[in-house]
Amino acid sequence: MLEAVLLVGGQGTRLRPLTVTTPKPMLPVAGVPCTEHQIARAREAGVTRVVLGTSYRPEVFLDYFGDGSRFGVELVYATEDVPLGTGGAIRHVAPHLLSGPDDPVLVFNGDILSGHDIAGQVQAWRDSSSDVSLYLTRVEDPRAYGLVPTDADGRVTQFLEKPSTPEEIVTDQINAGCYVFRRSVIDSIPTGRPVSVERETFPGLLARGAVVTGFVDDGYWLDLGTPLAFVQGSCDLVLGRAPSPALPGRTGQFLVRPGAEVEPDAILSNGTFVGAGATVGSGAVVDGSSLFDNAMVAAGAYVKDSVIGSGAIIGSGARLDGVVVGDRAVIGPGNELVRGARVWPGVALSETSVRFSSDR
Ligand code: GTP
């Protein structure tokens, strides 16, 4: 038996207003919650039991996943009364784990879309007799991430959270948000208070001389934490760039769910997703965007790099570029919204043309 823990309790503040009603890991990425993509990939790697570490809106997960049988795994829930942070959440699930003290336990951040070799990471953890193995990926600009340099043997030498000076950028390897823990290490995390695994647990393990190794994998990786990344992940799934057994065999430029209506002269491109019951009017252009269920893009509208929430309406001739529109919001005809604009659920913009400064 191989167990996995999915950390899904964050508030997802950077993805507001989409996360006002739906936790970030439950937002549909190409129509399927990120958590479902992760469960499908974990299952493919041999995971049979998943513990969801919830905190923010736990009922949304329970309603969708139930006992997990529909998704081929046994699913249990560990809900924090108050958010305990990434490390505190991992410790909080411990009483729900069945693994023995020296068994591996996979832990995923709940907002990561990846194509990395999960089974290979577990094997590397075994081969190196690690206490913890971290999945690392390489990025061009690592400044926004946690840097994790390793030595020639793959042992982690340092943890540098979001470096601020050029001298601190000692590697292009970053923490990609999937770990293999020795079960006993999880039990050693302090209980009953918030703990950051990145800032406290991992540096503490290094200081104690624990075996902490990096598993570098250059397969597909994306942190879905920001609106731009979120829509990118959706498009990558639709275009088949991001692998997911929950959405197999993708090749087309767009994905239209059954029950959606797209006028024949509308143009959908660059991985656009159109959810069930959504409509796209005559001559509208939807480029690299995601329309949640029952969203409507009226005739002649132009929507690029944007996320349109459930039941939201984009009026005729409106132009949106890099915008997040909350559920049931209404963008009146002719409005123009530019990069970084966010419209809250249920808000109606009638005739005013609105511009926001970029906050992405
Ligand atoms: P932002 O508010 O936009 O930073 O998003 P977030 O709240 O999801 O935080 P972050 O992206 O840093 O979290 C990484 C992962 O850990 C996400 O999958 C979160 O759901 C999860 N997470 C963060 N904090 C907690 C917590 O206190 N408890 C639990 N169970 N999960 C958490």
Side-chain angles (χ1 to χ4, degrees), residues 53-54 78-81 84 87-96 186:
T54 59
T79 302
E80 299 141 51
D81 294 332
L84 292 171
I90 297 170
R91 177 65 183 89
H92 185 258
V93 307
H96 299 269
I186 293 179

Side-chain angles (χ1 to χ4, degrees), residues 123-131 133 153 155 182 211 213:
Q123 190 57 47
W125 173 89
R126 281 187 209 284
D127 294 345
S128 55
S129 302
S130 292
D131 292 304
S133 153
D153 299 323
R155 295 269 299 247
R182 183 183 303 283
V211 182
T213 51

Side-chain angles (χ1 to χ4, degrees), residues 262-343:
V262 179
E263 288 298 318
D265 63 345
I267 299 172
L268 308 179
S269 58
N270 286 324
T272 285
F273 173 79
V274 182
T279 55
V280 182
S282 175
V285 174
V286 187
D287 180 6
S289 295
S290 183
L291 313 185
F292 289 3
D293 292 353
N294 304 311
M296 179 188 159
V297 174
Y302 173 80
V303 178
K304 183 176 189 305
D305 296 345
S306 296
V307 184
I308 312 299
S310 303
I313 297 173
I314 311 302
S316 56
R319 291 181 71 82
L320 277 64
D321 184 349
V323 173
V324 175
V325 178
D327 296 346
R328 303 173 316 285
V330 179
I331 310 297
N335 271 291
E336 183 179 345
L337 278 75
V338 293
R339 296 222 156 218
R342 298 176 194 218
V343 183

